[in-house]
Amino acid sequence: MKRWIAAVLTACMLAVPAGAADQPSDWAQEAVQTAREAGLVPEKLDSAYERAATRAEFCALAAAVYRSWETEGLLGKAEKDTVLFTDCKDGDVLLCASVGIVNGVGGGKFEPNRPLQRQEAASMLHRLGALRADYDGSVQGRLPHVFADGADIASWARNDINWVYCHGIMTGTGDNAFEPADEYTREQSIATMLRIYDAQYAAEIPKEQGEAYRVVVDYSGAGVGRVHIEDAAGNRLLTDFADTDGYFYDAKLLGEWASLHWQPDAESGFACALYNLRTGDTLADYQADTVDAQSGLAWAYSIGEDTADSRILYANGTYSTETYQPVTDWADGRAVIREGDAVCAINHKGERLWRMNISLDQVQVYGGIGDRFVIERDGAYCLITDGRMGTVSETPMLLNRWSDTYIAQDSGYYTLYDFSGRRLSETYANAMIEAGQDLYACWLSDTEYTYIRCTEYGNPQTLFTVSVNQRPGPLATDGAGVYALQTGAQTVACFDRFGDTLGTIEAPFAVGEVDFADGCVRIRGKALETAQQTALFLPTGEPAE
């Protein structure tokens, strides 16, 4: 009898539906159930929901959506090609490959059992969506979104990620991150397949903030300049500020703060102030020099002789009550300060990260950024990182802001090195300038520079050679790994931090200034007596308006 009861209980346990003992996460339960009822979830995927989906499993979901659309007559006209892989005979994979939803990995292989990356999922979802007769391939349906980790997105996936974001299919993982190389789970795969299957299930797209203020250059030249600040509606601000009529010699923005420089009259020197554009609060005789836009931080420096009363300036319109004596500017939310006969690295809250006993009365700080700096004594230069002394050099070391490298300067010649002192590039005469993350502008002649990409591992790669009429500075960037460089009178090249070209912009007028606005490239024409021309483009080169 006991054996019979045990057998019955065992059979009952085996008969429990797969989803009963293995439920999706709370956020995914409704989506998984709806997709299941729509016939989109193959039985083999209806369990272990938090497990990473494989490339073949994602194809099984995509094939289910494709067949449903085919039955309902929702597909556009598309031809099927015969595609074969040496490592996969799965029918769903071959269907998806035949209609262009997926590609192989090279060498005739597909790697069906490899976990799927989030950026791969975005590309497959976009290609699947493009098969519908009502596919929205418009520019407005692919406007860029600037993710905090957008620099990590591969060039081949960037346009696809913009599309799935704009259509509420994949909206990120929280805190404005996308995590492109992370694995994609089964429940995430099912939820997004439901969203693309029927737009009524699409996720709500987070509201874009946009730029509340911007600095507009009226004119600039050697020793002269005039700028003003506008709000999002194009209204000129600060027209009643200190008899300036809203025009300044220079201005920088950090969130709600504007760092202003102006000359009250021809007889007096320059004045400066930090002004809160939302509240009107003013820090007179303070200025912000280098802004760490990604972390929303800057030093508020006093223009007096003593820098010990500098404060941490925050993009939200506040500043620290504690004062500091900065050694380095902010980068990645870190900076170095002086405390008596020691230096400390601090974070945005002012918390001490490390302390190093070194008297700055005995050595000279040659340069620094974030939590690393270079000291010089008796003609020898030493790199300080993580509170420890590192590479020593007989030539000056120029630390780079965005890259884990430094540029050695030797009698007018410049060479790139990693932090261990290993040479990474050839030597350039006259100038080598960091232009972006792992990107450098190198002098070829007084009118020509070459732009190279070189990581801390070496292998420099030439990207562009351009004509210039002045020493180049940092590249225009969206702040998340996309850059724009003027390459001709009316052309601008767009590329990412990996050195991959995203597109070329053909402007309808002579290019004057290039910057970014909400992920789009903004090109202003050369200032004329008439109104300055402005146009927006996607980094792919397509007009955004």
Side-chain angles (χ1 to χ4, degrees):
M1 177 63 72
K2 290 182 179 180
R3 291 182 180 177
W4 180 82
I5 293 174
V8 171
L9 288 175
T10 301
C12 289
M13 292 172 65
L14 292 174
V16 173
D22 181 15
Q23 295 292 333
S25 301
D26 290 344
W27 68 267
Q29 284 188 13
E30 184 177 351
V32 170
Q33 180 59 30
T34 303
R36 187 185 292 135
E37 293 171 355
L40 304 180
V41 185
E43 184 178 352
K44 62 183 178 181
L45 293 181
D46 205 0
S47 62
Y49 300 100
E50 296 185 23
R51 179 189 298 171
T54 66
R55 287 165 53 83
E57 289 173 346
F58 200 76
C59 285
L61 291 166
V65 172
Y66 178 88
R67 293 187 179 103
S68 178
W69 286 348
E70 188 174 40
T71 300
E72 298 172 28
L74 299 177
L75 294 174
K77 293 182 179 179
E79 295 184 2
K80 292 184 180 179
D81 296 323
T82 300
V83 180
L84 299 175
F85 298 110
T86 59
D87 61 346
C88 182
K89 307 300 181 184
D90 183 277
D92 291 333
V93 170
L94 297 181
L95 170 62
C96 289
S98 71
V99 295
I101 298 172
V102 296
N103 298 317
V105 297
K109 295 184 177 182
F110 183 74
E111 295 184 357
N113 298 320
R114 177 167 63 79
L116 184 75
Q117 291 185 348
R118 290 179 53 80
Q119 60 187 351
E120 289 179 317
S123 290
M124 295 178 188
L125 286 164
H126 185 194
R127 295 189 199 115
L128 174 60
L131 297 175
R132 282 185 63 115
D134 59 354
Y135 165 65
D136 174 20
S138 67
V139 165
Q140 293 300 314
R142 292 179 287 111
L143 287 176
H145 176 75
V146 182
F147 285 100
D149 57 353
D152 298 327
I153 296 174
S155 58
W156 51 263
R158 192 170 293 276
N159 192 53
D160 302 318
I161 289 173
N162 289 335
W163 188 85
V164 295
Y165 180 87
C166 287
H167 291 83
I169 298 167
M170 293 179 71
T171 56
T173 58
D175 295 328
N176 194 35
F178 190 81
E179 300 178 359
D182 278 16
E183 295 176 350
Y184 206 46
T185 66
R186 287 181 171 185
E187 61 187 8
Q188 290 172 331
S189 301
I190 293 169
T192 49
M193 278 297 173
L194 178 65
R195 294 170 189 171
I196 200 171
Y197 167 71
D198 192 326
Q200 68 171 310
Y201 302 112
E204 183 178 354
I205 303 171
K207 187 176 181 180
E208 299 284 350
Q209 296 296 322
E211 56 177 8
Y213 313 102
R214 68 186 183 100
V215 176
V216 178
V217 178
D218 299 303
Y219 57 79
S220 63
V224 297
R226 191 182 81 171
V227 303
H228 68 271
I229 298 175
E230 293 181 353
D231 62 17
N235 300 309
R236 183 160 57 88
L237 305 179
L238 303 174
T239 55
D240 58 352
F241 181 85
D243 297 323
T244 63
D245 196 29
Y247 293 108
F248 304 91
Y249 175 76
D250 186 32
K252 291 184 175 69
L253 297 178
L254 175 67
E256 297 176 359
W257 289 107
S259 181
L260 308 171
H261 290 76
W262 73 98
Q263 190 172 17
D265 55 66
E267 304 300 324
S268 57
F270 283 95
C272 67
L274 289 168
Y275 182 86
N276 189 307
L277 294 166
R278 181 178 61 85
T279 66
D281 292 342
T282 303
L283 286 174
D285 298 329
Y286 273 84
Q287 63 180 341
D289 187 10
T290 302
V291 170
D292 181 14
Q294 188 169 10
S295 300
L297 299 169
W299 284 119
Y301 290 103
S302 169
I303 62 173
E305 293 294 328
D306 187 7
T307 62
D309 61 348
S310 298
R311 302 175 184 274
I312 304 175
L313 199 68
Y314 300 100
N316 65 1
T318 61
Y319 56 88
S320 66
T321 55
E322 185 177 358
T323 58
Y324 306 88
Q325 188 170 358
V327 175
T328 68
D329 286 319
W330 290 94
D332 298 323
R334 298 184 175 196
V336 175
I337 61 170
R338 179 175 183 176
E339 287 188 339
D341 288 336
V343 293
C344 298
I346 62 173
N347 63 15
H348 67 287
K349 296 180 180 180
E351 298 168 337
R352 275 56 175 174
L353 304 175
W354 52 256
R355 178 184 175 89
M356 183 178 182
N357 292 323
I358 181 171
S359 175
L360 297 187
D361 293 329
Q362 305 297 319
V363 299
Q364 178 183 354
V365 176
Y366 186 75
I369 187 70
D371 61 353
R372 54 206 188 198
F373 60 103
V374 174
I375 57 174
E376 183 269 335
R377 182 175 180 178
D378 300 331
Y381 299 83
C382 180
L383 174 65
I384 308 294
T385 58
D386 297 323
R388 296 187 296 271
M389 299 181 69
T391 300
V392 177
S393 172
E394 295 181 354
T395 59
M397 307 164 71
L398 307 176
L399 273 181
N400 292 316
R401 178 177 181 82
W402 302 288
S403 315
D404 292 332
T405 56
Y406 70 87
I407 297 171
Q409 177 185 356
D410 186 6
S411 303
Y413 291 88
Y414 300 81
T415 311
L416 189 67
Y417 288 84
D418 68 11
F419 285 167
S420 69
R422 182 173 65 95
R423 178 173 173 166
L424 302 176
S425 76
E426 64 179 272
T427 298
Y428 294 88
N430 294 322
M432 184 179 194
I433 305 157
E434 186 192 30
Q437 184 179 1
D438 299 328
L439 301 170
Y440 305 90
C442 307
W443 187 93
L444 295 180
S445 71
D446 288 341
T447 60
E448 194 174 51
Y449 273 73
T450 185
Y451 282 80
I452 68 170
R453 177 180 184 265
C454 186
T455 71
E456 66 268 31
Y457 305 109
N459 300 317
Q461 168 191 2
T462 299
L463 302 179
F464 304 96
T465 299
V466 298
S467 299
V468 298
N469 53 22
Q470 62 183 3
R471 186 184 179 95
L475 288 163
T477 177
D478 69 345
V482 176
Y483 298 91
L485 170 67
Q486 182 177 352
T487 53
Q490 293 182 228
T491 58
V492 173
C494 299
F495 54 99
D496 64 15
R497 75 174 183 94
F498 302 109
D500 294 330
T501 299
L502 304 176
T504 300
I505 295 170
E506 300 285 347
F509 45 75
V511 176
E513 301 171 38
V514 180
D515 64 1
F516 279 78
D518 297 329
C520 290
V521 182
R522 179 169 53 197
I523 296 180
R524 297 187 180 94
K526 291 185 176 180
L528 303 172
E529 294 182 0
T530 57
Q532 189 177 32
Q533 295 173 290
T534 303
L536 284 176
F537 296 85
L538 268 61
T540 57
E542 302 164 273
E545 299 176 316

